[in-house]
Amino acid sequence: MNDPLAHVRALFDLDDDVVYLDGNSLGAPPRAVAERMAHVVRHQWGRRLIRGWSEGWWEAPQRVGDRIGRLVGAAPGQVVVADSTSVNLFKALMAAARGSDRAEIVVDAGTFPTDGYLARSVAELTGLALRSAPPDRLELTERTAVVLLNHVDYRTGRLLDMAALTERAHAVGAKVVWDLCHSVGVLPIELDALGVDLAVGCTYKFLNGGPGSPAFLYVPTAAQPSFEQPLTGWNGHREPFAMAEDYRPDPGVARARVGTPDILSLLALDAALDVWDGVALADVRAKGLALTAHFMALVEDLSGIEVITPRDEWRGHQVSLRHPEARRLTGELADRQVIGDHRPPDVLRFGFAPLYNTFDETERAATTLAKLL
Amino acid sequence: MNDPLAHVRALFDLDDDVVYLDGNSLGAPPRAVAERMAHVVRHQWGRRLIRGWSEGWWEAPQRVGDRIGRLVGAAPGQVVVADSTSVNLFKALMAAARGSDRAEIVVDAGTFPTDGYLARSVAELTGLALRSAPPDRLELTERTAVVLLNHVDYRTGRLLDMAALTERAHAVGAKVVWDLCHSVGVLPIELDALGVDLAVGCTYKFLNGGPGSPAFLYVPTAAQPSFEQPLTGWNGHREPFAMAEDYRPDPGVARARVGTPDILSLLALDAALDVWDGVALADVRAKGLALTAHFMALVEDLSGIEVITPRDEWRGHQVSLRHPEARRLTGELADRQVIGDHRPPDVLRFGFAPLYNTFDETERAATTLAKLL
């Protein structure tokens, strides 16, 4: 099969005997990262010491944020890389819900657990109700302050229609917060064009930033003046080095920053993003659909297997299979160098990262699974 | 002068022509960090991929937390390394203030700005009043829910009496949260023995964890069952991989975790902490007092200089000088390879890190400053 991304795999440090299909959980390391890390430690931290802060470190959350902005359809100055996805969800939901004269927060019922936990916490702090609803029956009304949606369901791989759902939220005057953890880096996203209110996402899955690399938060320019969140750390201050007694937020996206940014992880992510140079998301999307379609076709008739990922285009770049022995199978596949993961109780997940996964690997994975069954 | 720590400097990657007196802002890199980082990226992330999470990464926040616990007098299982100091302050203050039937939060008036900003935010969320007071006139009463104190004042270097102030807070039934940013790693701290309620601190100053390395939070065992904080991320869940719909916090200190830990930065800090092997905090404290005393004696009579750091033992390991041209002098010192920092409007700060700073450097810094004046 023609693969316009075939040359990108060489940019990753992956063993050829491993079929790594868990990039939707932890992306593989781009080769440039290890050397960049050593450089940052030895030459920036070691030689420049405190001066590093005025030589690029301080602005790194916004600079790297802009690089991610290009992958999610956000013009510069609207994305900041900082903290974890969970912390960014808290900021986003608090900013959207606090002070609202509406009654409820709505979350996608298939939401990744942390999204639901944070939404519950924000509901308690703001006095709003929390309602969980399936994405095809959200029932948004003028009581709805904000709806939090996962662009791709982490269990099934189902992809939501961001354009339609954003429009539906706006039609009743509700705000929408999108969680892009499982979609950033696998398909074209148009946050600005769709008028999305707020979005968060992680960088250690399909962006390959490294284990636990810092997450990102999108606050569109028009929403920045009213974006108020309670984690009022000094990095979000308008004049952080004035050491003023009162908190006055930065006028721009930096108001979404909290504490001192984690420079080693942030610059590892920065290095990891270099693999995107010259890569078109349309090619990534096309290859991801092809890889997942190929895999589904190879495994759908295997004994005891139920494919729960949508067959149509409304899927991300993972294939989820239901099998009563999912846990055992995941372990036995790993013993045979085919690495996916298991989500309880009975789901096997296989992520397909078009930047490094190949059609050959897809076949090796399917063949290995077939032998085990 | 006899220096039992003289051999430790060789563990740091520092240029000998630089007099680095800003370790109270960003510690110098231990030599082991660059290599460890490359190892973590190439051999853990690169070869083990997702399996790294079950081979030490998941528990790293508590494991590294216990290493810091040994430096602050905390028995194992009470310190977690996660997030930034600002985020940890939010967790600590929310846990201490929320649900209290008392009326106010009190902060040390010389507090580092972020502490005051977060205390203000927590006061607004909980409906408590916020009162700022000098540490020698805190006027704690039975109206006081919680008092937040900086162990060492970042501007003057004044050290507070943790034992006496903790006792005073407890005498009126208030809780005390200590910010250890400028004291951890420079003097013996006895959190358990003093019955401190909660404490936070940073790891990139005298613990040399690297720019923006993750901070720590101390929650004593007895306080863990009632420690409830609103950043209910999935890492704090009792069974994080059950992906349960409801948040049930971990019974132990892991309930202070939020999102996925930043492994690259966390393991850089882990490597940096190796320099403490065989080091006694009593020696560190003695050398720090000697270095700062020596420096104060050398500069106190210089024209236009006012020493604002306490001369008695109630100081941390920094010397702060007031001079109307503080900003210019800091720049000119840096041009001459003597690196301190400036805090507006008129303070020059010099941090003395006993693990790598020497008496010779102290004299070179004082001589250079004298020449500039």
Side-chain angles (χ1 to χ4, degrees), chain A residues 15 27 47 117 121 230 244 262 265, chain B residues 15 45 47 117 121 230 244 262 265:
Chain A
D15 294 323
R47 304 285 77 71
Y117 306 155
S121 186
D262 212 326
S265 291
Chain B
D15 294 323
W45 180 14
R47 303 284 77 72
Y117 305 156
S121 185
D262 211 325
S265 291

Side-chain angles (χ1 to χ4, degrees), chain A residues 23-99:
Chain A
N24 55 325
S25 190
L26 173 66
R31 287 187 194 280
V33 174
E35 200 177 324
R36 182 79 62 88
M37 277 297 84
H39 177 85
V40 169
V41 173
R42 291 206 175 98
H43 296 278
Q44 295 187 13
W45 180 15
R47 304 285 77 71
R48 304 305 298 159
L49 295 155
I50 189 69
R51 294 166 289 194
W53 283 112
S54 52
E55 295 170 0
W57 293 349
W58 186 267
E59 297 79 13
Q62 289 100 299
R63 183 178 60 76
V64 181
D66 284 344
R67 297 190 74 183
I68 291 171
R70 289 197 286 278
L71 300 173
V72 295
Q78 304 180 106
V79 177
V80 71
V81 177
D83 305 308
S84 63
T85 304
S86 297
V87 170
N88 286 330
L89 276 167
F90 182 77
K91 298 176 203 170
L93 290 172
M94 284 298 292
R98 201 172 173 192

Side-chain angles (χ1 to χ4, degrees), chain A residues 282-361:
Chain A
D283 288 338
V284 173
R285 177 57 170 162
K287 183 175 171 186
L289 285 173
L291 288 167
T292 49
H294 192 48
F295 187 70
M296 286 195 282
L298 291 170
V299 302
E300 62 189 344
D301 295 326
L302 295 178
S303 164
I305 288 288
E306 177 194 357
V307 177
I308 60 170
T309 296
R311 308 299 179 101
D312 60 17
E313 71 191 279
W314 294 106
R315 65 177 189 265
H317 289 192
Q318 77 184 59
V319 173
S320 296
L321 308 178
R322 184 168 281 146
H323 189 285
E325 303 281 334
R327 181 185 293 276
R328 179 179 61 79
L329 288 170
T330 302
E332 292 184 2
L333 284 167
D335 292 342
R336 288 156 181 78
Q337 303 281 43
V338 175
I339 302 175
D341 65 19
H342 163 249
R343 284 295 174 260
D346 58 355
V347 174
L348 294 112
R349 297 195 313 173
F350 300 93
F352 292 83
L355 297 189
Y356 52 80
N357 285 137
T358 66
F359 291 92
D360 176 59
E361 288 176 330

Side-chain angles (χ1 to χ4, degrees), chain A residues 24-238:
Chain A
N24 55 325
S25 190
L26 173 66
R31 287 187 194 280
V33 174
E35 200 177 324
R36 182 79 62 88
M37 277 297 84
H39 177 85
V40 169
V41 173
R42 291 206 175 98
H43 296 278
Q44 295 187 13
W45 180 15
R47 304 285 77 71
R48 304 305 298 159
L49 295 155
I50 189 69
R51 294 166 289 194
W53 283 112
S54 52
E55 295 170 0
W57 293 349
W58 186 267
E59 297 79 13
Q62 289 100 299
R63 183 178 60 76
V64 181
D66 284 344
R67 297 190 74 183
I68 291 171
R70 289 197 286 278
L71 300 173
V72 295
Q78 304 180 106
V79 177
V80 71
V81 177
D83 305 308
S84 63
T85 304
S86 297
V87 170
N88 286 330
L89 276 167
F90 182 77
K91 298 176 203 170
L93 290 172
M94 284 298 292
R98 201 172 173 192
S100 170
D101 53 4
R102 295 187 165 205
E104 65 172 11
I105 299 170
V106 176
V107 296
D108 163 11
T111 194
F112 187 74
T114 213
D115 300 53
Y117 306 155
L118 268 306
R120 165 70 59 199
S121 186
V122 169
E124 287 172 2
L125 283 172
T126 57
L128 273 68
L130 178 67
R131 181 164 62 80
S132 177
D136 52 354
R137 295 194 304 279
L138 287 175
E139 296 171 14
L140 305 181
T141 72
E142 286 174 9
R143 296 181 69 251
T144 311
V146 54
V147 53
L148 167 61
L149 297 169
N150 280 250
H151 196 196
V152 171
D153 184 299
Y154 80 102
R155 290 182 81 250
T156 65
R158 179 212 56 212
L159 171 68
L160 294 186
D161 184 341
M162 186 182 285
L165 289 166
T166 298
E167 195 178 325
R168 195 179 314 164
H170 289 174
V172 296
K175 288 180 178 168
V176 61
V177 178
W178 282 98
D179 181 333
L180 309 177
C181 283
H182 289 82
S183 62
V184 62
V186 287
L187 46 90
I189 296 174
E190 294 294 344
L191 295 179
D192 284 354
L194 299 180
V196 166
D197 297 287
L198 295 164
V200 303
C202 107
T203 67
Y204 53 75
K205 298 180 189 291
F206 292 113
L207 297 183
N208 312 299
S213 57
F216 67 90
L217 174 56
Y218 163 79
V219 185
T221 304
Q224 287 168 8
S226 62
F227 182 84
E228 290 182 9
Q229 56 88 13
L231 295 170
T232 49
W234 73 297
N235 271 236
H237 197 282
R238 179 182 293 256

Side-chain angles (χ1 to χ4, degrees), chain A residues 13-15 18 20 22 25-30 33-35 37-38 41-42 45-47 49-51 53 57 83-84 86-87 90 94 98 112-114 117-118 121 124-125 154 204 208-214 230-234 237 241-247 258-265 268 334 337 339 343-344, chain B residues 13-15 18 20 22 25-30 33-35 37-38 41-42 45-47 49-51 53 57 83-84 86-87 90 94 98 112-114 117-118 121 124-125 154 204 208-214 230-234 237 241-247 258-265 268 334 337 339 343-344:
Chain A
D13 177 21
L14 270 171
D15 294 323
V18 173
Y20 188 59
D22 209 9
S25 190
L26 173 66
V33 174
E35 200 177 324
M37 277 297 84
V41 173
R42 291 206 175 98
W45 180 15
R47 304 285 77 71
L49 295 155
I50 189 69
R51 294 166 289 194
W53 283 112
W57 293 349
D83 305 308
S84 63
S86 297
V87 170
F90 182 77
M94 284 298 292
R98 201 172 173 192
F112 187 74
T114 213
Y117 306 155
L118 268 306
S121 186
E124 287 172 2
L125 283 172
Y154 80 102
Y204 53 75
N208 312 299
S213 57
L231 295 170
T232 49
W234 73 297
H237 197 282
F241 290 96
M243 306 282 163
E245 196 174 326
D246 290 330
Y247 183 78
V258 183
T260 306
D262 212 326
I263 293 300
L264 299 188
S265 291
Q337 303 281 43
I339 302 175
R343 284 295 174 260
Chain B
D13 176 21
L14 270 171
D15 294 323
V18 172
Y20 189 58
D22 210 7
S25 190
L26 173 65
V33 173
E35 201 178 325
M37 277 297 84
V41 173
R42 291 207 176 98
W45 180 14
R47 303 284 77 72
L49 295 156
I50 190 69
R51 296 166 287 194
W53 285 112
W57 293 350
D83 304 309
S84 63
S86 296
V87 170
F90 182 76
M94 284 298 292
R98 201 172 172 190
F112 187 74
T114 214
Y117 305 156
L118 268 307
S121 185
E124 287 172 3
L125 284 173
Y154 80 102
Y204 53 76
N208 313 300
S213 57
L231 296 170
T232 49
W234 73 297
H237 197 281
F241 290 96
M243 306 281 163
E245 195 175 327
D246 289 331
Y247 183 79
V258 183
T260 306
D262 211 325
I263 292 300
L264 299 187
S265 291
Q337 302 281 44
I339 301 175
R343 285 295 174 259

Side-chain angles (χ1 to χ4, degrees), chain B residues 66-370:
Chain B
D66 283 344
R67 298 191 75 184
I68 291 171
R70 288 198 285 278
L71 299 173
V72 295
Q78 304 181 106
V79 177
V80 70
V81 177
D83 304 309
S84 63
T85 304
S86 296
V87 170
N88 286 329
L89 275 167
F90 182 76
K91 298 176 203 169
L93 290 172
M94 284 298 292
R98 201 172 172 190
S100 170
D101 54 4
R102 295 187 165 206
E104 66 172 12
I105 299 171
V106 176
V107 295
D108 162 10
T111 193
F112 187 74
T114 214
D115 300 53
Y117 305 156
L118 268 307
R120 165 69 60 198
S121 185
V122 169
E124 287 172 3
L125 284 173
T126 56
L128 274 69
L130 178 68
R131 181 164 61 83
S132 177
D136 53 353
R137 295 193 305 279
L138 287 175
E139 296 173 12
L140 305 181
T141 71
E142 287 175 11
R143 297 181 69 249
T144 310
V146 54
V147 53
L148 168 62
L149 298 169
N150 279 250
H151 197 195
V152 171
D153 182 298
Y154 80 102
R155 291 183 80 249
T156 64
R158 178 212 58 213
L159 171 68
L160 294 186
D161 184 340
M162 186 182 286
L165 289 165
T166 298
E167 194 178 327
R168 196 180 312 164
H170 290 174
V172 295
K175 289 181 177 167
V176 60
V177 178
W178 283 98
D179 180 334
L180 310 177
C181 283
H182 290 82
S183 63
V184 62
V186 287
L187 46 90
I189 296 173
E190 295 294 343
L191 295 178
D192 284 353
L194 299 180
V196 165
D197 297 287
L198 295 163
V200 303
C202 108
T203 66
Y204 53 76
K205 300 179 188 291
F206 292 113
L207 297 184
N208 313 300
S213 57
F216 67 89
L217 173 56
Y218 163 79
V219 185
T221 304
Q224 287 168 7
S226 61
F227 182 84
E228 290 182 8
Q229 56 89 12
L231 296 170
T232 49
W234 73 297
N235 271 235
H237 197 281
R238 178 183 293 256
E239 292 182 278
F241 290 96
M243 306 281 163
E245 195 175 327
D246 289 331
Y247 183 79
R248 291 188 306 131
D250 185 271
V253 75
R255 62 171 55 201
R257 290 173 61 169
V258 183
T260 306
D262 211 325
I263 292 300
L264 299 187
S265 291
L266 190 52
L267 297 187
L269 168 62
D270 191 28
L273 290 172
D274 287 353
V275 300
W276 290 93
D277 289 351
V279 167
L281 273 165
D283 289 337
V284 173
R285 177 59 171 163
K287 183 175 171 186
L289 286 173
L291 287 167
T292 49
H294 192 49
F295 187 70
M296 287 194 282
L298 291 170
V299 302
E300 64 188 344
D301 295 328
L302 295 178
S303 165
I305 288 289
E306 177 195 357
V307 177
I308 61 170
T309 296
R311 309 299 180 101
D312 60 19
E313 71 190 278
W314 293 104
R315 65 175 188 267
H317 289 190
Q318 77 184 60
V319 173
S320 296
L321 308 178
R322 185 168 281 147
H323 189 285
E325 303 280 333
R327 180 184 293 276
R328 178 179 62 79
L329 287 170
T330 301
E332 292 184 1
L333 284 167
D335 293 341
R336 287 158 183 78
Q337 302 281 44
V338 175
I339 301 175
D341 65 20
H342 164 250
R343 285 295 174 259
D346 59 354
V347 173
L348 295 110
R349 297 194 313 174
F350 301 93
F352 292 83
L355 297 188
Y356 52 80
N357 286 137
T358 66
F359 290 93
D360 176 60
E361 289 176 329
T362 303
E363 285 162 21
R364 282 158 64 195
T367 305
T368 307
L369 180 60

